[in-house]
Amino acid sequence: MTSTLAAPDPVSARQLNLISLVLVLGAITTILDTTIVNIALDYLHTAFHASVAETQWVVTGYLLAYVAVIPVSGWASERFGARRVWMFAVAAFMVGSLLCGLAWSLPTLIGFRVLQGLGGGMVLPVTITILTRAAGRARIGRAIATIGFIGQLAPILGPIIGGSIIASVGWHWLFVVNIPICLAALILAPRFLPAGQTDHSHSLDLFGFVLLTPGVVAIAYGISQVAGVGGLAALDVWLPLAAGVTLIGAFVLHSLRATGSRRRSNAESAAQGGADARRTPRPPLIDVRVFARRSFGLSSVITFVGGFSLYALMFLLPLFYQQVRGDSVIATGFLLIPQGLGTMCFIVLNRRLGSRVDTRLIIAGGVVLTMIGIVPFALAGASGGDVLLLAGQFLQGFGMGAVSLPVMTLAFAGLSHAETPRGSAAFSVVQRVGAPFGVTVIAVILQNQLVGAAGAAQVVAAFAATFWWVFALAAVPLFLAFFLPAAPRTVPAAAERMPVSE
């Protein structure tokens, strides 16, 4: 069947700024929440008189719910309209935040965190859909820069806000702080966000949902347990990982089969002069064929392996400052600011670089800068060298921005208007699985290095060895960068409004 939904004209610069502002308000709470809560786990463990393993479910429950809803976000945007789904997701996250703030025990807090995750998981992929559609192909880089800006605020502000709240008003406010921001986003959304088109002819791919969602959740759970006793050999690690890989493999086959059936049905409809649309097979939850496109597929691979550098450093740096250098949580938050500033500097400079320098060279240069920025930490001691460490973080931030933002731009520049919702869902799944995977591998390496580390010098050596591992793994995108297309594919405005064959 050919979609009759035409791509609307991109909005004006002023409208895009207002849309970006509203989307930032809604999305920043879901990203900040992760870093704010992570630094409070030790406090919650003490407050509830619970074990570390039990308290960890405050994070794990949120993560599993978060990834569970990502696969349906694309279908929901098509069926009900992107603005409506975005507002529902922000509202669900806000209600979950309120209930978390009112939680009276660890089990109730974990349950309410699941509700938070169900809302939060949909916010970012739908934000990408709304923003990239509003910007149009010509300004997609600007849209991705906005999303990158949101992501960089979390590691800067999260530890500072979380540490300040714990030290002053208590853990309940870790969640209540989300409510006024979400309320502001919900009030402004009907006024400034485009309603988005709806297509009620696309029913939910229920069989695909049953395969993909449990598969992604099982992999996320298995990865989250790797750092526990037994490592990969533990039953609660290899069993969910094996089940998740099997389910996702089955979904890939289902998606390819469903897409082939729709293509044959479309051909028959055209031959018969138009058949009953109700007989056309429903589209798969995610069309895996997008990964076969060089821009989207390689961008997804680079994003996945980026978990070994971008997200691993977000995990490792706070531990380094607190366990090796003895800094407080709040001081650590301030020490991490240069990394965010580095990414923001790249966002500003990229407006000129993007049109003058080959995208592959920008990405490769970003990898090299990230690796250079890791070296001072691999050589650092328990004290001294502060200027080098701060400069290294700035280079890391600039380099990671030079990798992640152009890669994301390339991925979405090749998607049509109709493909954007499900494409953003697919890309978000890769991000949310790749991030904990990279962090877990580095956490296991650090844990093994720390075994038997009795003195401060041995702890320093353990962190140094782990940073060298991050240095080596960060080089993987350097090789992949040169296989990417040189620049995003541009499409004439008229072509973007043509019907899209599905």
Side-chain angles (χ1 to χ4, degrees):
M1 182 176 67
T2 298
S3 175
T4 58
L5 295 179
D9 291 329
V11 301
S12 68
R14 180 179 179 277
Q15 286 176 302
L16 184 59
N17 289 335
L18 292 171
I19 290 170
S20 299
L21 173 63
V22 177
L23 293 175
V24 165
L25 285 175
I28 197 171
T29 54
T30 65
I31 300 174
L32 271 176
D33 187 79
T34 302
T35 53
I36 288 176
V37 174
N38 280 350
I39 68 164
L41 284 180
D42 186 60
Y43 182 89
L44 293 173
H45 146 67
T46 304
F48 287 114
H49 307 289
S51 68
V52 173
E54 291 171 335
T55 310
Q56 184 63 33
W57 274 98
V58 173
V59 172
T60 303
Y62 178 84
L63 170 66
L64 298 183
Y66 192 104
V67 299
V69 296
I70 291 175
V72 299
S73 61
W75 166 81
S77 295
E78 294 174 351
R79 186 66 184 266
F80 304 107
R83 183 179 69 188
R84 188 177 299 169
V85 172
W86 188 86
M87 292 181 65
F88 174 81
V90 172
F93 179 84
M94 182 181 69
V95 171
S97 298
L98 174 61
L99 293 174
C100 285
L102 298 174
W104 55 91
S105 65
L106 184 60
T108 57
L109 177 59
I110 293 170
F112 296 146
R113 283 283 285 169
V114 170
L115 175 58
Q116 246 194 330
L118 291 174
M122 274 197 178
V123 172
L124 195 56
V126 181
T127 294
I128 295 172
T129 296
I130 295 173
L131 198 53
T132 53
R133 281 181 161 182
R137 296 283 180 87
R139 295 177 297 179
I140 194 168
R142 178 178 173 182
I144 298 302
T146 300
I147 296 166
F149 173 77
I150 299 171
Q152 284 306 309
L153 285 178
I156 296 174
L157 298 180
I160 297 173
I161 296 173
S164 300
I165 290 174
I166 288 295
S168 55
V169 293
W171 68 266
H172 297 83
W173 287 89
L174 293 170
F175 307 100
V176 177
V177 72
N178 295 322
I179 296 174
I181 304 174
C182 290
L183 275 175
L186 291 172
I187 291 170
L188 295 172
R191 173 69 178 85
F192 296 112
L193 295 188
Q197 299 163 308
T198 60
D199 188 349
H200 296 288
S201 66
H202 288 179
S203 55
L204 177 65
D205 173 21
L206 188 58
F207 184 60
F209 175 78
V210 170
L211 291 174
L212 183 58
T213 295
V216 172
V217 170
I219 288 177
Y221 175 76
I223 290 172
S224 71
Q225 301 302 304
V226 170
V229 179
L232 284 170
L235 181 66
D236 61 348
V237 174
W238 69 260
L239 184 59
L241 286 177
V245 170
T246 301
L247 287 169
I248 290 179
F251 173 80
V252 170
L253 295 176
H254 161 73
S255 177
L256 293 172
R257 188 179 298 115
T259 303
S261 297
R262 284 178 63 80
R263 184 177 296 174
R264 288 190 296 272
S265 177
N266 292 342
E268 293 171 2
S269 298
Q272 298 171 10
D276 188 351
R278 290 173 296 182
R279 298 177 57 188
T280 303
R282 61 174 60 92
L285 203 61
I286 289 176
D287 184 355
V288 297
R289 294 178 306 166
V290 296
F291 290 103
R293 299 177 190 173
R294 191 156 60 112
S295 59
F296 193 91
L298 279 175
S299 294
S300 298
V301 173
I302 291 174
T303 298
F304 183 88
V305 299
F308 294 113
S309 53
L310 171 61
Y311 297 103
L313 285 172
M314 290 173 62
F315 158 77
L316 200 55
L317 291 177
L319 288 179
F320 170 81
Y321 278 119
Q322 292 173 44
Q323 295 187 15
V324 175
R325 314 283 284 198
D327 293 303
S328 67
V329 171
I330 297 178
T332 298
F334 283 106
L335 287 168
L336 294 175
I337 287 177
Q339 190 181 80
L341 291 177
T343 300
M344 292 179 186
C345 284
F346 171 78
I347 291 173
V348 173
L349 291 177
N350 190 47
R351 295 182 179 181
R352 296 183 178 181
L353 286 175
S355 60
R356 300 179 182 181
V357 183
D358 190 317
T359 304
R360 294 168 294 187
L361 293 178
I362 293 177
I363 295 171
V367 174
V368 172
L369 286 176
T370 302
M371 295 172 69
I372 293 173
I374 294 170
V375 172
F377 289 87
L379 300 176
S383 61
D386 295 335
V387 174
L388 281 177
L389 294 179
L390 296 177
Q393 282 182 225
F394 182 87
L395 289 178
Q396 290 172 20
F398 193 97
M400 289 187 292
V403 174
S404 59
L405 299 183
V407 160
M408 197 171 178
T409 300
L410 282 171
F412 284 92
L415 298 180
S416 69
H417 178 85
E419 291 171 327
T420 300
R422 297 183 191 236
S424 65
F427 197 82
S428 295
V429 167
V430 172
Q431 279 184 316
R432 298 314 302 179
V433 173
F437 182 76
V439 169
T440 298
V441 169
I442 297 304
V444 170
I445 292 173
L446 176 62
Q447 182 174 290
N448 291 335
Q449 295 291 334
L450 287 171
V451 172
Q458 292 175 313
V459 172
V460 171
F463 272 88
T466 306
F467 275 116
W468 283 122
W469 272 101
V470 177
F471 177 89
L473 292 169
V476 176
L478 183 62
F479 170 75
L480 297 173
F482 293 100
F483 291 93
L484 287 165
R489 181 171 59 90
T490 57
V491 177
E496 191 155 322
R497 292 189 289 273
M498 292 175 63
V500 179
S501 175
E502 296 183 330

